[in-house]
Amino acid sequence: MAGERAVSSVAAGAAGSGAAGADSASGGAGPDERADLPRAGDGAGERGIASGGPRDSGISGRVVVPRDRFTLDASLELRPGERVAIIGANGSGKSTLLAGLAGLTELARASTVTLGGHPWRSIPVEARGIGFIAQDGLLFPHLSVLDNVAFGPRSAGRSRRESREIAARMLEEVRVDHLAGAAASSVSGGERQRIALARALATEPSTLLLDEPFAALDVDASVEVREITAEQVRARGLSLLLVTHDLVDAVRLTDCVIVLESGKVVERLETRDLQRAPASAFAASFAGLARVPGTLATDALVTASGARIPLRGVEVDRSLRVGASALLLAAPDHVELVDSGRGAVGGDGEAARTDAGGNVAMSASSFADAVESLVGDGSAVRARLRSGLLARVDSERLPQAGAIVRVRIHHARLRPAP
Ligand SMILES: Nc1ncnc2c1ncn2[C@@H]1O[C@H](COP(=O)(O)OP(=O)(O)OP(=O)(O)O)[C@@H](O)[C@H]1O
Protein backbone atom coordinates (compact mmCIF):
# COMPACT_ATOMS: atom_id res chain seq x y z
CA MET A 1 0.00 0.00 0.00
CA ALA A 2 2.92 2.35 0.47
CA GLY A 3 2.74 3.88 -3.00
CA GLU A 4 -0.95 4.42 -2.86
CA ARG A 5 -0.79 5.95 0.58
CA ALA A 6 1.88 8.35 -0.54
CA VAL A 7 -0.10 9.66 -3.49
CA SER A 8 -3.27 9.76 -1.44
CA SER A 9 -1.88 11.60 1.54
CA VAL A 10 -4.23 14.55 1.16
CA ALA A 11 -7.26 12.34 0.69
CA ALA A 12 -6.10 10.14 3.56
CA GLY A 13 -5.76 13.15 5.77
CA ALA A 14 -9.20 14.18 4.71
CA ALA A 15 -10.71 10.71 5.01
CA GLY A 16 -10.96 11.14 8.74
CA SER A 17 -12.62 14.43 8.10
CA GLY A 18 -15.04 13.25 5.50
CA ALA A 19 -13.65 14.85 2.35
CA ALA A 20 -14.18 13.13 -0.99
CA GLY A 21 -12.03 10.11 -1.73
CA ALA A 22 -11.46 7.98 -4.79
CA ASP A 23 -14.73 6.17 -5.12
CA SER A 24 -17.01 9.14 -4.65
CA ALA A 25 -15.00 10.90 -7.32
CA SER A 26 -15.55 7.92 -9.56
CA GLY A 27 -19.25 8.48 -9.69
CA GLY A 28 -21.82 6.04 -8.41
CA ALA A 29 -25.55 6.41 -8.07
CA GLY A 30 -27.51 9.13 -9.81
CA PRO A 31 -29.31 11.95 -7.98
CA ASP A 32 -32.60 10.08 -7.57
CA GLU A 33 -30.99 7.22 -5.71
CA ARG A 34 -29.48 9.60 -3.21
CA ALA A 35 -32.57 11.71 -2.60
CA ASP A 36 -33.00 10.62 1.02
CA LEU A 37 -29.32 10.81 1.90
CA PRO A 38 -27.21 13.68 3.15
CA ARG A 39 -25.01 15.32 0.53
CA ALA A 40 -21.83 17.30 0.54
CA GLY A 41 -22.63 20.95 1.11
CA ASP A 42 -26.23 20.45 2.17
CA GLY A 43 -25.43 21.31 5.76
CA ALA A 44 -25.32 17.68 6.91
CA GLY A 45 -22.08 18.34 8.71
CA GLU A 46 -23.55 21.25 10.64
CA ARG A 47 -26.58 19.33 11.83
CA GLY A 48 -24.81 16.02 12.25
CA ILE A 49 -26.33 13.11 10.39
CA ALA A 50 -29.67 12.17 11.92
CA SER A 51 -29.60 9.05 14.05
CA GLY A 52 -30.98 6.08 12.19
CA GLY A 53 -29.14 7.27 9.07
CA PRO A 54 -26.19 5.52 7.47
CA ARG A 55 -23.80 6.72 10.16
CA ASP A 56 -25.46 4.60 12.80
CA SER A 57 -25.73 1.51 10.69
CA GLY A 58 -23.50 -1.43 9.98
CA ILE A 59 -21.32 -2.02 6.94
CA SER A 60 -21.80 -5.25 5.04
CA GLY A 61 -21.21 -6.82 1.67
CA ARG A 62 -18.36 -7.67 -0.67
CA VAL A 63 -15.40 -5.37 -1.08
CA VAL A 64 -13.74 -6.05 -4.43
CA VAL A 65 -10.50 -4.33 -5.48
CA PRO A 66 -8.19 -5.69 -8.21
CA ARG A 67 -4.54 -5.80 -7.14
CA ASP A 68 -1.33 -6.88 -8.86
CA ARG A 69 -1.23 -10.52 -7.76
CA PHE A 70 -4.89 -11.16 -6.84
CA THR A 71 -8.23 -9.46 -6.54
CA LEU A 72 -9.26 -8.53 -3.03
CA ASP A 73 -12.73 -10.04 -2.68
CA ALA A 74 -13.61 -9.86 0.99
CA SER A 75 -17.06 -10.30 2.48
CA LEU A 76 -17.54 -8.06 5.44
CA GLU A 77 -20.14 -7.75 8.18
CA LEU A 78 -19.54 -4.97 10.68
CA ARG A 79 -22.51 -4.39 12.95
CA PRO A 80 -22.93 -1.04 14.70
CA GLY A 81 -20.54 -0.88 17.65
CA GLU A 82 -18.75 -4.07 16.62
CA ARG A 83 -14.96 -4.09 16.77
CA VAL A 84 -13.14 -6.31 14.32
CA ALA A 85 -9.43 -6.99 13.83
CA ILE A 86 -8.20 -7.76 10.32
CA ILE A 87 -5.14 -9.99 10.36
CA GLY A 88 -3.18 -11.80 7.67
CA ALA A 89 0.28 -12.20 6.21
CA ASN A 90 2.10 -9.29 4.55
CA GLY A 91 0.47 -8.52 1.23
CA SER A 92 -2.77 -10.39 2.00
CA GLY A 93 -4.86 -7.29 1.26
CA LYS A 94 -5.57 -5.82 4.71
CA SER A 95 -4.61 -2.24 3.85
CA THR A 96 -6.38 -2.51 0.51
CA LEU A 97 -9.60 -3.45 2.30
CA LEU A 98 -9.30 -0.50 4.65
CA ALA A 99 -8.30 1.91 1.89
CA GLY A 100 -11.35 0.80 -0.11
CA LEU A 101 -13.65 1.52 2.82
CA ALA A 102 -11.89 4.81 3.59
CA GLY A 103 -12.58 6.00 0.06
CA LEU A 104 -8.87 6.08 -0.80
CA THR A 105 -9.00 3.24 -3.32
CA GLU A 106 -11.69 2.73 -5.89
CA LEU A 107 -13.95 -0.29 -5.33
CA ALA A 108 -14.60 -2.48 -8.37
CA ARG A 109 -18.14 -2.52 -9.78
CA ALA A 110 -18.61 -6.05 -8.46
CA SER A 111 -18.53 -4.68 -4.91
CA THR A 112 -21.83 -4.91 -3.06
CA VAL A 113 -21.06 -2.94 0.08
CA THR A 114 -23.95 -1.32 1.88
CA LEU A 115 -24.02 1.11 4.78
CA GLY A 116 -27.23 0.86 6.76
CA GLY A 117 -28.74 -1.00 3.83
CA HIS A 118 -27.92 1.81 1.36
CA PRO A 119 -25.54 1.08 -1.52
CA TRP A 120 -22.07 2.32 -0.59
CA ARG A 121 -21.58 4.35 -3.74
CA SER A 122 -24.81 6.22 -3.26
CA ILE A 123 -23.54 7.76 -0.04
CA PRO A 124 -21.09 10.64 -0.31
CA VAL A 125 -17.81 9.90 1.48
CA GLU A 126 -18.39 12.72 3.97
CA ALA A 127 -21.77 11.25 4.96
CA ARG A 128 -20.45 7.76 5.72
CA GLY A 129 -19.30 8.58 9.23
CA ILE A 130 -15.92 6.95 8.71
CA GLY A 131 -12.66 8.05 10.29
CA PHE A 132 -9.36 6.64 9.04
CA ILE A 133 -5.98 6.57 10.75
CA ALA A 134 -2.87 5.24 9.03
CA GLN A 135 0.32 3.93 10.58
CA ASP A 136 2.10 7.24 10.12
CA GLY A 137 -0.79 9.53 11.06
CA LEU A 138 -0.60 11.51 7.82
CA LEU A 139 -0.97 14.94 9.40
CA PHE A 140 -0.82 17.99 7.16
CA PRO A 141 2.76 19.08 7.94
CA HIS A 142 2.25 22.75 7.01
CA LEU A 143 -0.68 23.22 9.43
CA SER A 144 -0.64 23.63 13.20
CA VAL A 145 -1.85 20.72 15.31
CA LEU A 146 -5.09 22.60 16.06
CA ASP A 147 -5.74 23.33 12.38
CA ASN A 148 -5.10 19.68 11.48
CA VAL A 149 -7.88 18.65 13.83
CA ALA A 150 -10.14 21.56 12.84
CA PHE A 151 -9.85 20.57 9.17
CA GLY A 152 -12.63 17.99 9.29
CA PRO A 153 -15.35 20.08 10.92
CA ARG A 154 -14.33 23.05 8.72
CA SER A 155 -14.65 20.92 5.55
CA ALA A 156 -18.07 19.80 6.76
CA GLY A 157 -19.22 23.41 6.80
CA ARG A 158 -18.67 24.50 10.40
CA SER A 159 -17.44 28.05 11.04
CA ARG A 160 -13.74 28.61 11.64
CA ARG A 161 -14.34 29.44 15.30
CA GLU A 162 -16.60 26.46 15.90
CA SER A 163 -14.17 24.10 14.12
CA ARG A 164 -11.32 25.29 16.29
CA GLU A 165 -13.41 24.85 19.44
CA ILE A 166 -14.20 21.27 18.46
CA ALA A 167 -10.52 20.69 17.68
CA ALA A 168 -9.44 22.05 21.06
CA ARG A 169 -11.93 19.77 22.80
CA MET A 170 -10.74 16.70 20.88
CA LEU A 171 -7.08 17.46 21.62
CA GLU A 172 -7.99 17.70 25.29
CA GLU A 173 -9.79 14.34 25.14
CA VAL A 174 -6.72 12.61 23.80
CA ARG A 175 -4.52 14.60 26.19
CA VAL A 176 -2.38 16.57 23.76
CA ASP A 177 -4.08 19.97 24.14
CA HIS A 178 -0.69 21.47 25.12
CA LEU A 179 0.42 20.90 21.51
CA ALA A 180 -2.42 22.87 19.87
CA GLY A 181 -0.16 25.67 18.63
CA ALA A 182 2.76 23.44 17.58
CA ALA A 183 3.63 22.74 13.96
CA ALA A 184 2.35 19.27 13.04
CA SER A 185 5.78 18.50 11.59
CA SER A 186 7.42 18.94 15.01
CA VAL A 187 5.54 16.36 17.09
CA SER A 188 6.72 12.89 18.16
CA GLY A 189 5.30 9.65 16.76
CA GLY A 190 3.09 8.99 19.79
CA GLU A 191 1.81 12.58 19.77
CA ARG A 192 1.17 12.37 16.03
CA GLN A 193 -1.03 9.30 16.43
CA ARG A 194 -3.02 10.95 19.22
CA ILE A 195 -3.50 14.02 17.03
CA ALA A 196 -4.59 11.77 14.16
CA LEU A 197 -7.12 10.18 16.55
CA ALA A 198 -8.37 13.63 17.59
CA ARG A 199 -8.67 14.60 13.94
CA ALA A 200 -10.69 11.52 13.12
CA LEU A 201 -12.93 12.00 16.18
CA ALA A 202 -13.57 15.65 15.31
CA THR A 203 -15.75 14.49 12.43
CA GLU A 204 -17.98 12.50 14.81
CA PRO A 205 -17.50 9.21 13.01
CA SER A 206 -19.47 6.11 13.89
CA THR A 207 -16.77 3.82 12.45
CA LEU A 208 -13.00 4.05 12.83
CA LEU A 209 -10.69 2.36 10.34
CA LEU A 210 -7.23 1.95 11.85
CA ASP A 211 -4.34 0.66 9.74
CA GLU A 212 -1.62 -0.50 12.14
CA PRO A 213 -1.87 2.76 14.07
CA PHE A 214 0.55 1.74 16.83
CA ALA A 215 3.06 -0.21 14.77
CA ALA A 216 5.62 2.57 14.29
CA LEU A 217 5.64 3.56 17.96
CA ASP A 218 8.04 2.52 20.70
CA VAL A 219 6.67 0.25 23.41
CA ASP A 220 5.66 3.00 25.88
CA ALA A 221 4.05 5.20 23.23
CA SER A 222 2.19 2.28 21.67
CA VAL A 223 0.74 1.30 25.06
CA GLU A 224 -0.42 4.89 25.69
CA VAL A 225 -1.95 5.43 22.26
CA ARG A 226 -3.60 2.00 22.33
CA GLU A 227 -5.20 2.75 25.71
CA ILE A 228 -6.45 6.18 24.62
CA THR A 229 -7.87 4.65 21.46
CA ALA A 230 -9.59 1.88 23.45
CA GLU A 231 -11.02 4.49 25.83
CA GLN A 232 -12.46 6.61 23.00
CA VAL A 233 -13.81 3.66 21.01
CA ARG A 234 -15.65 2.32 24.06
CA ALA A 235 -16.88 5.67 25.36
CA ARG A 236 -18.31 6.57 21.95
CA GLY A 237 -19.59 3.11 21.08
CA LEU A 238 -17.70 3.25 17.78
CA SER A 239 -17.50 0.43 15.28
CA LEU A 240 -13.91 -0.45 14.56
CA LEU A 241 -11.94 -2.15 11.83
CA LEU A 242 -8.35 -2.53 12.95
CA VAL A 243 -5.53 -3.88 10.80
CA THR A 244 -2.85 -5.26 13.06
CA HIS A 245 0.03 -7.71 13.37
CA ASP A 246 -0.10 -7.53 17.17
CA LEU A 247 -2.06 -9.94 19.36
CA VAL A 248 -2.27 -7.35 22.16
CA ASP A 249 -4.05 -4.88 19.83
CA ALA A 250 -6.57 -7.52 18.86
CA VAL A 251 -7.20 -8.64 22.42
CA ARG A 252 -7.41 -5.11 23.83
CA LEU A 253 -9.49 -3.51 21.12
CA THR A 254 -11.65 -6.05 19.32
CA ASP A 255 -14.37 -8.67 19.80
CA CYS A 256 -13.87 -10.50 16.57
CA VAL A 257 -11.06 -11.30 14.14
CA ILE A 258 -11.10 -11.92 10.41
CA VAL A 259 -8.18 -13.57 8.67
CA LEU A 260 -7.29 -12.53 5.12
CA GLU A 261 -5.31 -14.74 2.76
CA SER A 262 -4.58 -13.57 -0.80
CA GLY A 263 -7.50 -11.17 -0.69
CA LYS A 264 -10.08 -13.62 0.69
CA VAL A 265 -11.52 -13.99 4.18
CA VAL A 266 -10.49 -17.50 5.25
CA GLU A 267 -11.61 -17.37 8.87
CA ARG A 268 -13.75 -15.32 11.21
CA LEU A 269 -13.65 -16.03 14.93
CA GLU A 270 -14.24 -14.31 18.23
CA THR A 271 -11.12 -12.68 19.60
CA ARG A 272 -11.43 -14.67 22.82
CA ASP A 273 -11.17 -17.88 20.75
CA LEU A 274 -7.90 -16.86 19.11
CA GLN A 275 -5.80 -18.78 21.59
CA ARG A 276 -8.35 -21.56 22.03
CA ALA A 277 -9.58 -22.55 18.61
CA PRO A 278 -7.87 -20.88 15.66
CA ALA A 279 -8.62 -22.83 12.47
CA SER A 280 -6.12 -21.26 10.08
CA ALA A 281 -2.37 -21.55 10.38
CA PHE A 282 -2.11 -17.77 10.31
CA ALA A 283 -4.53 -17.24 13.20
CA ALA A 284 -2.66 -19.85 15.28
CA SER A 285 0.69 -18.24 14.68
CA PHE A 286 -0.78 -14.75 15.27
CA ALA A 287 -1.96 -16.04 18.65
CA GLY A 288 1.55 -17.35 19.36
CA LEU A 289 0.50 -20.99 19.19
CA ALA A 290 2.34 -23.88 17.61
CA ARG A 291 -0.03 -25.83 15.36
CA VAL A 292 1.19 -29.38 15.07
CA PRO A 293 -0.47 -31.83 12.70
CA GLY A 294 -0.48 -35.39 14.00
CA THR A 295 -2.49 -38.55 14.47
CA LEU A 296 -4.37 -39.68 17.54
CA ALA A 297 -2.55 -43.00 17.92
CA THR A 298 -4.33 -44.11 21.11
CA ASP A 299 -6.63 -42.40 23.55
CA ALA A 300 -3.55 -41.26 25.44
CA LEU A 301 -1.01 -40.56 22.70
CA VAL A 302 -0.66 -38.40 19.63
CA THR A 303 2.15 -38.93 17.13
CA ALA A 304 3.63 -36.00 15.24
CA SER A 305 6.73 -36.05 13.02
CA GLY A 306 8.23 -38.96 14.90
CA ALA A 307 7.46 -37.63 18.38
CA ARG A 308 5.07 -39.66 20.57
CA ILE A 309 3.31 -37.08 22.66
CA PRO A 310 1.36 -38.23 25.73
CA LEU A 311 -1.94 -36.45 26.15
CA ARG A 312 -1.53 -35.65 29.80
CA GLY A 313 -2.34 -31.93 30.17
CA VAL A 314 -3.95 -31.91 26.73
CA GLU A 315 -7.65 -31.11 26.28
CA VAL A 316 -8.85 -33.52 23.63
CA ASP A 317 -11.84 -32.61 21.46
CA ARG A 318 -14.63 -35.10 22.21
CA SER A 319 -15.27 -35.85 18.56
CA LEU A 320 -11.75 -37.20 17.96
CA ARG A 321 -11.44 -40.94 17.44
CA VAL A 322 -8.30 -43.07 17.59
CA GLY A 323 -6.65 -43.08 14.18
CA ALA A 324 -7.97 -39.61 13.24
CA SER A 325 -5.82 -36.77 11.92
CA ALA A 326 -5.57 -34.08 14.56
CA LEU A 327 -4.05 -30.70 15.30
CA LEU A 328 -2.24 -30.06 18.54
CA LEU A 329 -2.37 -26.37 19.55
CA ALA A 330 0.04 -25.29 22.26
CA ALA A 331 1.43 -21.98 23.51
CA PRO A 332 5.23 -22.07 24.02
CA ASP A 333 4.79 -20.97 27.62
CA HIS A 334 2.95 -24.22 28.29
CA VAL A 335 5.62 -26.44 26.74
CA GLU A 336 8.66 -27.03 28.90
CA LEU A 337 12.05 -28.57 28.17
CA VAL A 338 12.56 -30.66 31.27
CA ASP A 339 16.05 -31.85 30.38
CA SER A 340 18.22 -32.75 27.45
CA GLY A 341 17.31 -36.42 27.09
CA ARG A 342 19.31 -39.06 25.32
CA GLY A 343 18.50 -41.60 22.70
CA ALA A 344 16.40 -41.48 19.59
CA VAL A 345 13.20 -39.49 19.32
CA GLY A 346 10.30 -41.83 20.01
CA GLY A 347 12.51 -44.30 21.94
CA ASP A 348 11.82 -42.31 25.03
CA GLY A 349 11.23 -44.91 27.68
CA GLU A 350 7.84 -43.78 28.93
CA ALA A 351 6.05 -46.39 31.04
CA ALA A 352 3.81 -47.83 28.34
CA ARG A 353 1.22 -50.53 28.60
CA THR A 354 -0.85 -52.22 25.94
CA ASP A 355 -4.58 -52.51 26.42
CA ALA A 356 -6.75 -55.48 25.36
CA GLY A 357 -7.17 -54.00 21.88
CA GLY A 358 -3.44 -53.69 21.40
CA ASN A 359 -3.45 -49.89 21.87
CA VAL A 360 -0.52 -48.42 23.70
CA ALA A 361 -1.39 -46.21 26.66
CA MET A 362 1.30 -43.95 28.02
CA SER A 363 1.68 -43.09 31.64
CA ALA A 364 4.60 -40.70 31.34
CA SER A 365 4.00 -36.99 31.15
CA SER A 366 7.12 -36.19 29.15
CA PHE A 367 8.42 -37.31 25.79
CA ALA A 368 11.52 -37.05 23.64
CA ASP A 369 11.83 -34.54 20.84
CA ALA A 370 14.67 -32.80 19.01
CA VAL A 371 15.56 -29.11 18.87
CA GLU A 372 15.43 -27.88 15.28
CA SER A 373 16.29 -24.24 15.91
CA LEU A 374 16.01 -21.38 18.36
CA VAL A 375 13.60 -18.62 17.41
CA GLY A 376 12.95 -15.16 18.86
CA ASP A 377 9.44 -14.30 19.99
CA GLY A 378 9.39 -10.68 21.16
CA SER A 379 11.62 -10.69 24.21
CA ALA A 380 11.64 -14.49 24.68
CA VAL A 381 13.67 -17.24 23.04
CA ARG A 382 11.80 -20.37 21.98
CA ALA A 383 13.00 -23.77 20.82
CA ARG A 384 11.33 -25.03 17.66
CA LEU A 385 11.08 -28.79 18.03
CA ARG A 386 11.02 -31.46 15.34
CA SER A 387 7.41 -32.27 16.26
CA GLY A 388 6.47 -28.70 15.34
CA LEU A 389 5.95 -27.62 18.96
CA LEU A 390 7.53 -24.46 20.33
CA ALA A 391 8.94 -24.66 23.84
CA ARG A 392 9.99 -22.04 26.32
CA VAL A 393 13.71 -22.14 27.07
CA ASP A 394 15.84 -20.82 29.85
CA SER A 395 18.07 -18.15 28.28
CA GLU A 396 20.86 -19.18 30.69
CA ARG A 397 20.77 -22.76 29.39
CA LEU A 398 20.02 -22.60 25.69
CA PRO A 399 19.85 -26.03 24.06
CA GLN A 400 21.90 -26.69 20.94
CA ALA A 401 20.15 -27.14 17.63
CA GLY A 402 19.95 -30.91 17.06
CA ALA A 403 19.91 -31.78 20.77
CA ILE A 404 17.53 -34.50 21.90
CA VAL A 405 15.47 -33.11 24.76
CA ARG A 406 12.66 -34.22 27.05
CA VAL A 407 9.54 -32.16 26.80
CA ARG A 408 6.51 -31.77 29.01
CA ILE A 409 3.26 -30.19 27.92
CA HIS A 410 1.44 -28.39 30.71
CA HIS A 411 -1.51 -27.31 28.66
CA ALA A 412 -2.56 -27.78 25.03
CA ARG A 413 -5.59 -28.59 22.93
CA LEU A 414 -6.08 -31.39 20.44
CA ARG A 415 -8.66 -30.74 17.75
CA PRO A 416 -9.74 -32.55 14.61
CA ALA A 417 -7.59 -31.55 11.62
CA PRO A 418 -9.49 -29.10 9.38
N1 LIG B 1 -1.85 0.56 -5.76
C1 LIG B 1 -1.74 -0.74 -5.94
N2 LIG B 1 -2.03 -1.29 -7.14
C2 LIG B 1 -1.96 -2.62 -7.35
N3 LIG B 1 -1.56 -3.50 -6.39
C3 LIG B 1 -1.24 -3.01 -5.18
C4 LIG B 1 -1.32 -1.60 -4.88
N4 LIG B 1 -0.97 -1.42 -3.60
C5 LIG B 1 -0.68 -2.63 -3.10
N5 LIG B 1 -0.83 -3.57 -4.05
C6 LIG B 1 -0.62 -5.03 -3.93
O1 LIG B 1 -1.79 -5.55 -3.31
C7 LIG B 1 -1.44 -6.62 -2.43
C8 LIG B 1 -2.03 -6.35 -1.06
O2 LIG B 1 -1.36 -5.24 -0.47
P1 LIG B 1 -1.80 -4.66 0.93
O3 LIG B 1 -0.93 -3.48 1.21
O4 LIG B 1 -3.26 -4.46 0.94
O5 LIG B 1 -1.44 -5.87 1.89
P2 LIG B 1 -1.38 -5.89 3.49
O6 LIG B 1 -2.06 -7.15 3.89
O7 LIG B 1 -1.88 -4.62 4.06
O8 LIG B 1 0.17 -6.05 3.74
P3 LIG B 1 1.10 -5.55 4.96
O9 LIG B 1 0.79 -6.44 6.12
O10 LIG B 1 2.46 -5.77 4.44
O11 LIG B 1 0.78 -4.09 5.21
C9 LIG B 1 0.06 -6.71 -2.45
O12 LIG B 1 0.41 -7.75 -3.34
C10 LIG B 1 0.51 -5.38 -2.98
O13 LIG B 1 1.72 -5.49 -3.68
Side-chain angles (χ1 to χ4, degrees):
M1 270 305 297
E4 192 145 41
R5 269 196 209 126
V7 295
S8 305
S9 63
V10 174
S17 49
D23 69 337
S24 73
S26 73
D32 292 347
E33 273 181 75
R34 342 179 133 189
D36 60 337
L37 294 165
R39 298 158 190 243
D42 70 356
E46 280 148 48
R47 294 191 305 272
I49 308 298
S51 65
R55 273 175 174 260
D56 297 322
S57 313
I59 300 173
S60 67
R62 266 173 73 200
V63 181
V64 184
V65 182
R67 295 278 84 161
D68 291 341
R69 289 186 298 108
F70 55 76
T71 292
L72 172 84
D73 188 349
S75 292
L76 191 73
E77 174 77 60
L78 183 70
R79 291 186 292 272
E82 193 175 26
R83 300 162 308 157
V84 175
I86 304 169
I87 68 172
N90 292 127
S92 55
K94 304 178 297 295
S95 295
T96 302
L97 173 58
L98 238 55
L101 294 173
L104 300 175
T105 297
E106 193 170 347
L107 302 187
R109 287 272 156 200
S111 303
T112 57
V113 190
T114 60
L115 180 60
H118 298 284
W120 189 250
R121 286 173 182 280
S122 69
I123 306 167
V125 174
E126 66 279 2
R128 291 176 187 162
I130 288 188
F132 173 73
I133 303 177
Q135 184 173 335
D136 47 9
L138 295 173
L139 301 182
F140 299 116
H142 57 289
L143 295 182
S144 71
V145 165
L146 188 76
D147 285 338
N148 261 279
V149 181
F151 182 89
R154 190 84 181 104
S155 315
R158 305 249 190 191
S159 71
R160 186 175 155 81
R161 192 173 61 83
E162 216 183 343
S163 300
R164 293 184 133 217
E165 279 169 9
I166 293 169
R169 223 169 34 243
M170 291 305 137
L171 288 171
E172 204 178 323
E173 287 209 23
V174 299
R175 304 195 275 280
V176 281
D177 40 320
H178 58 286
L179 295 173
S185 53
S186 69
V187 301
S188 73
E191 291 163 348
R192 188 186 61 222
Q193 292 311 80
R194 291 191 199 199
I195 296 161
L197 176 62
R199 186 176 59 183
L201 295 176
T203 67
E204 298 178 31
S206 54
T207 301
L208 273 188
L209 308 179
L210 307 184
D211 194 351
E212 297 190 61
F214 323 119
L217 306 179
D218 64 38
V219 175
D220 289 344
S222 69
V223 171
E224 276 172 28
V225 181
R226 186 192 293 119
E227 289 312 307
I228 288 175
T229 305
E231 208 175 273
Q232 292 294 326
V233 167
R234 278 172 209 277
R236 293 164 184 267
L238 301 178
S239 311
L240 177 68
L241 277 180
L242 169 72
V243 169
T244 184
H245 286 283
D246 187 333
L247 177 64
V248 181
D249 290 349
V251 169
R252 185 73 187 91
L253 286 164
T254 70
D255 322 296
C256 175
V257 176
I258 61 178
V259 184
L260 277 188
E261 205 178 288
S262 301
K264 303 271 185 300
V265 176
V266 294
E267 185 177 3
R268 180 179 173 119
L269 75 170
E270 294 196 13
T271 308
R272 63 170 173 233
D273 285 340
L274 254 180
Q275 288 180 295
R276 226 179 55 79
S280 63
F282 189 87
S285 100
F286 180 85
L289 301 176
R291 185 175 178 272
V292 177
T295 303
L296 185 62
T298 74
D299 59 2
L301 180 78
V302 69
T303 53
S305 303
R308 300 164 68 227
I309 304 171
L311 292 176
R312 188 171 294 179
V314 177
E315 272 177 49
V316 181
D317 189 286
R318 283 163 177 271
S319 67
L320 269 173
R321 298 282 169 261
V322 169
S325 299
L327 267 185
L328 185 66
L329 295 164
D333 280 341
H334 296 149
V335 180
E336 182 192 8
L337 298 189
V338 285
D339 65 48
S340 53
R342 296 204 179 100
V345 175
D348 44 22
E350 289 106 336
R353 62 187 161 74
T354 307
D355 66 17
N359 291 325
V360 180
M362 311 301 297
S363 62
S365 59
S366 68
F367 60 99
D369 206 334
V371 175
E372 291 240 294
S373 58
L374 295 179
V375 292
D377 170 12
S379 54
V381 182
R382 313 297 195 186
R384 186 180 298 286
L385 305 177
R386 190 179 300 163
S387 61
L389 285 165
L390 289 167
R392 67 182 189 223
V393 296
D394 182 347
S395 55
E396 307 270 304
R397 291 185 304 153
L398 295 178
Q400 299 284 322
I404 304 296
V405 289
R406 286 202 75 78
V407 181
R408 180 173 296 138
I409 293 181
H410 293 277
H411 181 68
R413 290 191 169 81
L414 191 72
R415 307 178 57 76

